[in-house]
Amino acid sequence: MQEQIIILDFGSQYTQVIARRIRECKVYSTILPYNTSAKEIASMNPKGLILSGGPMSVYSRKAPLPDKEIFNLGIPVLGICFGLQVMAKFLGGNVERGLKREYGKGNLSVKDGRCTLFKGLPKSLQVWNSHGDKLTELPEGFKTVAITENSPHAAIENRKRQLFGIQFHPEVVHTPKGKQIIGNYVQKICGCGRKWTMRSYIEKSVDDIRAQVGKEHVILGLSGGVDSSVTAALIHKAIGRHLTCIFVNNGVLRANEAEAVKKLFKDNFKCNFLYEDTAKLFLRKLKGVTDPETKRKIIGNTFIDVFQKATRKVGKAKFLAQGTLYPDVIESVPIAGNPAALIKSHHNVGGLPEKMKFELVEPLRCLFKDEVRQLGTELGLPKEVVWRQPFPGPGLAVRLLGDLTESRLEILRNADRIVVEVMKQHNWYYKVWQSFAVLLPVKSVGVMGDERTYEYTIAVRIVESKDGMTADWVKLPASLLETISSRIINEVDGVNRVVYDITSKPPGTIEWE
């Protein structure tokens, strides 16, 4: 059984980041709901347990609280921010609202360098705080190992029981030495090795897929994106011709998308491939629809109908494969009582209609996007597939604000093609997370060829990110932005203005809808 660290999620916006930092230490991590029983945790045989932060106060009537027995499992426990306060409350300490709140950068003074969390680190550290409460009385058996200006117990430990608590967030980049703190916990305290690699993940996944599927047939809804392509490659490695890929043209794909996907999987992969061209059906159902969530639901429901009919052409199949990723799972299934909000619907998460009698195969369900790219590279997929920028399931429909018509879709498709072409030509495409065009339902006056024009506006969105959870707009050279703008205005009929989106995530999202 592989070594793993379990994280209990109390609704922190940083919970996934904790999981990422652990994996960067070459150790597997799993996120579970805060109320997972101690018995279930014990059955997973973890090397350690981390309690995440959260937006609520431990003394709130609705505070999310864990099974108290988690502190008696005999494994190291690390409480982060709210997690520290939970530990203190359950073990006899006292937490109160602070007279001063601590948000943003702070300075941590380490008072006991013998604490393994801070081994090899300086006595003074920059940390990132995000709390209004503070620990005022230590539980029995604990001692203070670090303080901040406003927190007299910013880091505590019970060395005998291997229980640790920190009031700051080591997982964020604003705590420069945070990765070493997490590394000390994972490796020096929990005793984990650096054994989790993509090669080991492939070997285990192939065995798991074969054990789950046996000699049955698997159907995969292929989009041509990174997730579904890597899923196809991994399952094909495991069961070969027992996999059939179905590609549905939903009418809102990028330029030349369908042809590229068909060539890659039909010609190069030599796998069973079924192409369903239903573009007209989707566009007919989307006509006149302006609400983004309605667009997503129409596309998702129509896809299921089309896909279900296509599966009948395949013959008998017991399993359906999906390229569901870890962020999809965490964001799309709110934990009961967990204050973390559902941002938007994911069309590939949450199960299948009851009439579709398939069992799910989701080999990427525990991976983040950059880990999927590593996996794709290990499987030998070409660079243009592995490093293809994320593309939403509802396609261009959510980048076309307002009424979706074929003429407006053509405008967006051409503008988007130019953005991608220019980024690739100037060696910027693979340096950023996403680069695309958005068609706004806004017309403005322009002058082209000495004539007055009244045409649409294209917004160009180019962001950098590691996993899509946060993002910042890219400071492209002015000359490159000029090239993109000039080409769009000169080559795309119906556009006379181009703007550049300089909004980060948060407060905005990467996509406009």
Side-chain angles (χ1 to χ4, degrees):
M1 183 180 292
Q2 67 181 350
E3 296 178 336
Q4 68 172 321
I5 302 293
I6 287 177
I7 304 160
L8 293 188
D9 179 21
F10 291 88
S12 171
Q13 60 182 318
Y14 302 132
T15 300
Q16 292 185 42
V17 185
I18 300 172
R20 289 206 42 76
R21 295 293 174 260
I22 295 170
R23 294 187 186 189
E24 288 168 1
C25 296
K26 304 296 183 187
V27 177
Y28 186 66
S29 59
T30 302
I31 299 173
L32 295 177
Y34 70 88
N35 53 1
T36 303
S37 70
K39 184 178 180 181
E40 182 177 346
I41 293 171
S43 71
M44 299 174 70
N45 195 31
K47 299 284 284 185
L49 179 66
I50 292 180
L51 314 182
S52 84
M56 299 187 73
S57 297
V58 291
Y59 49 74
S60 169
R61 187 170 57 86
K62 295 182 179 180
L65 299 175
D67 180 351
K68 188 174 182 178
E69 289 304 310
I70 62 174
F71 300 108
N72 297 319
L73 291 174
I75 59 174
V77 180
L78 172 64
I80 297 176
C81 199
F82 180 85
L84 170 147
Q85 295 163 15
V86 166
M87 184 183 295
K89 175 182 173 69
F90 274 34
L91 299 181
N94 190 50
V95 177
E96 298 178 1
R97 182 171 296 281
L99 296 177
K100 292 182 179 180
R101 297 184 299 174
E102 283 188 304
Y103 290 101
K105 290 181 182 178
N107 186 70
L108 184 81
S109 297
V110 179
K111 298 302 182 183
D112 185 353
R114 294 174 300 167
C115 177
T116 310
L117 280 178
F118 302 104
K119 189 170 184 180
L121 297 176
K123 296 290 186 182
S124 180
L125 299 170
Q126 177 186 310
V127 296
W128 185 260
N129 294 303
S130 182
H131 61 93
D133 299 338
K134 66 178 182 181
L135 178 62
T136 56
E137 184 180 337
L138 291 177
E140 185 178 348
F142 281 78
K143 65 176 292 187
T144 300
V145 294
I147 64 172
T148 62
E149 208 173 278
N150 191 47
S151 293
H153 310 292
I156 63 175
E157 72 168 355
N158 183 322
R159 198 169 299 174
K160 183 178 180 181
R161 296 182 62 185
Q162 293 287 77
L163 302 178
F164 303 84
I166 50 180
Q167 188 62 78
F168 59 92
H169 288 273
E171 67 272 25
V172 300
V173 295
H174 308 297
T175 301
K177 300 293 184 181
K179 187 173 179 180
Q180 288 101 308
I181 294 172
I182 291 176
N184 282 342
Y185 173 73
V186 169
Q187 264 119 21
K188 291 183 170 60
I189 293 174
C190 298
C192 294
R194 298 175 62 86
K195 300 177 181 179
W196 193 72
T197 64
M198 276 303 121
R199 177 52 51 189
S200 65
Y201 187 85
I202 290 173
E203 293 171 358
K204 184 177 186 303
S205 294
V206 166
D207 289 341
D208 289 346
I209 292 167
R210 288 172 178 168
Q212 179 184 4
V213 171
K215 295 183 179 180
E216 299 289 342
H217 205 86
V218 178
I219 294 173
L220 168 68
L222 192 65
S223 70
V226 181
D227 306 337
S228 67
S229 297
V230 173
T231 301
L234 183 58
I235 294 177
H236 188 262
K237 180 179 178 66
I239 62 174
R241 301 291 291 182
H242 287 279
L243 169 69
T244 295
C245 295
I246 300 176
F247 178 65
V248 176
N249 185 344
N250 60 12
V252 287
L253 302 175
R254 280 177 156 171
N256 306 313
E257 183 91 9
E259 292 74 16
V261 173
K262 284 193 288 184
K263 183 171 180 58
L264 174 66
F265 286 92
K266 195 173 182 180
D267 299 343
N268 299 343
F269 252 80
K270 306 295 183 185
C271 69
N272 299 320
F273 187 90
L274 183 60
Y275 175 59
E276 294 291 310
D277 187 357
T278 52
K280 291 183 179 179
L281 171 65
F282 279 85
L283 294 181
R284 186 171 68 249
K285 292 198 172 191
L286 289 166
K287 186 176 181 180
V289 179
T290 59
D291 178 69
E293 272 300 294
T294 303
K295 287 179 184 177
R296 289 177 181 272
K297 288 175 181 176
I298 288 173
I299 292 171
N301 292 334
T302 306
F303 174 84
I304 289 174
D305 290 339
V306 170
F307 189 81
Q308 184 180 14
K309 291 176 182 176
T311 60
R312 296 173 189 149
K313 301 177 184 179
V314 176
K316 187 177 180 182
K318 184 177 180 181
F319 294 93
L320 174 69
Q322 290 186 337
T324 309
L325 304 193
Y326 214 178
D328 296 337
V329 175
I330 300 301
E331 289 179 6
S332 298
V333 185
I335 301 165
N338 189 326
L342 172 62
I343 305 300
K344 62 184 178 182
S345 62
H346 288 270
H347 69 280
N348 65 332
V349 179
L352 300 166
E354 290 184 7
K355 59 184 178 181
M356 294 183 72
K357 305 296 184 181
F358 290 112
E359 294 180 31
L360 287 178
V361 180
E362 298 175 298
L364 310 185
R365 191 177 178 87
C366 297
L367 299 182
F368 292 97
K369 177 70 83 171
D370 62 316
E371 294 171 331
V372 174
R373 296 192 195 281
Q374 296 173 34
L375 179 58
T377 301
E378 286 281 351
L379 290 168
L381 285 169
K383 180 180 179 180
E384 59 267 25
V385 174
V386 173
W387 290 99
R388 183 194 189 216
Q389 294 176 359
F391 188 61
L396 297 178
V398 292
R399 294 178 179 173
L400 192 157
L401 278 63
D403 191 12
L404 196 155
T405 64
E406 290 194 48
S407 60
R408 296 187 73 224
L409 184 59
E410 192 61 21
I411 290 173
L412 176 58
R413 188 173 280 127
N414 287 330
D416 181 78
R417 172 182 52 79
I418 290 170
V419 172
V420 173
E421 283 179 3
V422 173
M423 292 293 285
K424 287 183 175 179
Q425 288 166 1
H426 291 78
N427 298 316
W428 272 92
Y429 181 84
Y430 296 115
K431 295 178 183 179
V432 303
W433 177 258
Q434 273 175 281
S435 49
F436 56 90
V438 178
L439 178 60
L440 307 184
V442 175
K443 286 189 175 183
S444 64
V445 174
V447 178
M448 301 175 73
D450 295 326
E451 292 185 1
R452 179 183 184 277
T453 62
Y454 188 63
E455 295 178 331
Y456 286 111
T457 300
I458 287 288
V460 175
R461 180 76 160 142
I462 302 174
V463 298
E464 55 189 359
S465 177
K466 187 167 186 179
D467 46 33
M469 291 184 286
T470 60
D472 195 13
W473 62 280
V474 179
K475 286 70 176 174
L476 285 180
S479 59
L480 185 56
L481 288 173
E482 183 179 28
T483 299
I484 292 173
S485 176
S486 178
R487 281 199 57 187
I488 290 175
I489 290 173
N490 282 300
E491 299 176 31
V492 182
D493 291 337
V495 176
N496 68 354
R497 191 177 298 273
V498 174
V499 298
Y500 190 45
D501 183 351
I502 59 170
T503 311
S504 298
K505 175 188 178 181
T509 54
I510 294 177
E511 298 290 345
W512 275 50
E513 287 196 343

